[in-house]
Amino acid sequence: MPVKIHADLPACSTLEQENVFVITENRAQTQDIRPLKVAIVNLMPTKETTETQLLRLLSNTPLQIEISLIRMENHNYKNTDQEYLDKFYLPSSQVFNKKFDGMIITGAPVEQIPFEEVDYWKELCQIMDYAKKNVFSTLYVCWGSFAGLYHHYNIPKYPIDKKLFGIFMNSRTTLNDPLLRGLDDTFPFPQSRHTTLMEDDIIRHPELTILAKSKECGVTLVKSNDNREIFMTGHLEYDTDTLAKEYWRDKDKGLPIDIPKNYFPNNNPSLMPSSYWRSTAHLLYSNWLNYYVYQETPFNFTEK
């Protein structure tokens, strides 16, 4: 089944060219079903790219999904025109008038800044608090996961000496959790971050379960035991060339950046990389939507 989005959203034409099934609002109104309502709190500066990446993954299920894009009201966006934001995004204050089956809170390029110094931190905390009761399951991605763990459980982030950058294999730490159903015992995660978590900090919270970790990356996947919160430190949504673009962007700026690990063939940046995390990404997002959102959410949960 399709993902329901605004007909003019740039991601719509991109996904249609890829034969991804999307549906516009007018057509969706003719279908007599209740779609899952999913909000995406998009904190990434590359709005269009992130929208397309996430919508591609959310569309790969037999469910109809109605998407609401959310922006921070108290933040000056430098990379996205206000006209674009006004057309496609709801201001954060409008979130509090709705309920959602699922929510995704993305990463953001602010991880080296203390949480309280991020200009929209209080605004984001309001959303995270609201989600506890008004969103059935929230998926926190990369910096979003660090923010969620810090806000809800006071689990700090720790700076690392060198940017964790590349594709890293992860091992499941539990056998039967539905989120990992169908995944191999080890699976790849793209990573691009300057901070990490300490396992001992998470273990102190019996209401949390570690689902996956990596020798090089530490803990990478955590959930609350009620399945209402999922914390993922990596970027499974990344396109094949995303890390390459990050690498060359920083090189062109003269910034210190290592070649992303386990990414370019023969570790040669002049060669085209290939994705070997795409199937993991589609399966994990489908599992989240199916087992943690669709199968568990009461039918009238989103009614106000």
Side-chain angles (χ1 to χ4, degrees):
M1 289 294 287
V3 58
K4 175 186 170 185
I5 56 179
H6 196 294
D8 295 332
L9 191 72
C12 186
S13 59
T14 301
L15 296 174
E16 286 178 338
Q17 291 171 14
E18 298 176 9
N19 290 321
V20 174
F21 194 9
V22 297
I23 189 170
T24 60
E25 295 176 350
N26 290 338
R27 185 178 175 189
Q29 290 174 357
T30 67
Q31 297 187 337
D32 189 20
I33 60 174
R34 180 174 97 66
L36 292 180
K37 296 180 182 294
V38 175
I40 300 176
V41 182
N42 189 356
L43 305 174
M44 293 291 281
T46 52
K47 290 286 184 287
E48 292 184 29
T49 298
T50 303
E51 291 157 12
T52 304
Q53 291 171 342
L54 290 173
L55 291 173
R56 184 182 291 120
L57 296 175
L58 294 174
S59 68
N60 194 34
T61 75
L63 310 169
Q64 187 188 117
I65 303 166
E66 180 179 316
I67 298 296
S68 296
L69 298 171
I70 311 298
R71 63 175 172 86
M72 298 291 100
E73 289 186 70
N74 300 316
H75 177 67
N76 180 25
Y77 289 93
K78 300 178 181 178
N79 299 289
T80 307
D81 292 338
Q82 188 62 42
E83 182 180 356
Y84 185 94
L85 295 170
D86 291 341
K87 183 174 184 179
F88 298 119
Y89 278 74
L90 295 175
S92 59
S93 60
Q94 292 190 22
V95 170
F96 308 124
N97 299 323
K98 302 176 181 290
K99 284 192 173 186
F100 297 95
D101 300 293
M103 176 179 283
I104 298 173
I105 297 179
T106 74
V110 294
E111 59 175 326
Q112 293 176 290
I113 304 173
F115 291 115
E116 292 82 2
E117 294 181 17
V118 175
D119 63 359
Y120 51 78
W121 178 246
K122 290 184 179 179
E123 194 174 347
L124 182 60
C125 288
Q126 288 180 308
I127 291 177
M128 291 190 289
D129 287 339
Y130 186 78
K132 292 281 285 186
K133 293 184 178 180
N134 297 281
V135 178
F136 203 77
S137 186
T138 302
L139 177 59
Y140 295 82
V141 178
C142 199
W143 180 82
S145 69
F146 291 95
L149 286 168
Y150 178 73
H151 178 64
H152 293 309
Y153 302 98
N154 201 32
I155 293 174
K157 61 181 180 179
Y158 296 88
I160 49 182
D161 295 335
K162 186 179 293 186
K163 183 178 182 180
L164 188 64
F165 191 42
I167 314 298
F168 300 92
M169 297 305 293
N170 299 259
S171 299
R172 59 165 68 225
T173 56
T174 181
L175 293 177
N176 298 317
D177 194 89
L179 190 67
L180 303 181
R181 189 163 294 167
L183 269 67
D184 294 325
D185 292 338
T186 58
F187 47 88
F189 257 63
Q191 298 281 354
S192 179
R193 52 186 168 94
H194 295 87
T195 55
T196 192
L197 299 167
M198 294 297 177
E199 185 171 351
D200 287 346
D201 292 338
I202 300 170
I203 292 174
R204 292 190 186 100
H205 291 269
E207 65 271 40
L208 296 175
T209 296
I210 297 172
L211 299 180
K213 57 185 180 179
S214 163
K215 290 182 180 179
E216 294 176 277
C217 306
V219 174
T220 53
L221 195 60
V222 180
K223 74 163 189 175
S224 61
N225 292 336
D226 61 3
N227 298 332
R228 300 289 292 270
E229 298 158 347
I230 311 296
F231 306 96
M232 178 171 62
T233 65
H235 282 284
L236 280 175
E237 79 280 3
Y238 270 6
D239 293 326
T240 301
D241 62 353
T242 301
L243 292 180
K245 289 179 178 178
E246 288 189 23
Y247 172 74
W248 289 113
R249 177 200 66 197
D250 287 357
K251 288 286 286 185
D252 291 342
K253 290 181 179 179
L255 300 174
I257 184 71
D258 289 342
I259 295 173
K261 291 186 177 182
N262 312 312
Y263 180 61
F264 290 113
N266 301 321
N267 214 31
N268 184 347
S270 66
L271 298 178
M272 179 66 68
S274 61
S275 171
Y276 57 96
W277 61 91
R278 188 178 299 121
S279 59
T280 297
H282 278 284
L283 190 52
L284 190 144
Y285 273 79
S286 294
N287 285 346
W288 173 64
L289 282 172
N290 184 25
Y291 298 116
Y292 285 3
V293 182
Y294 173 69
Q295 300 284 359
E296 299 296 332
T297 310
F299 184 82
N300 61 350
F301 180 77
T302 58
E303 295 180 1
K304 292 286 287 185

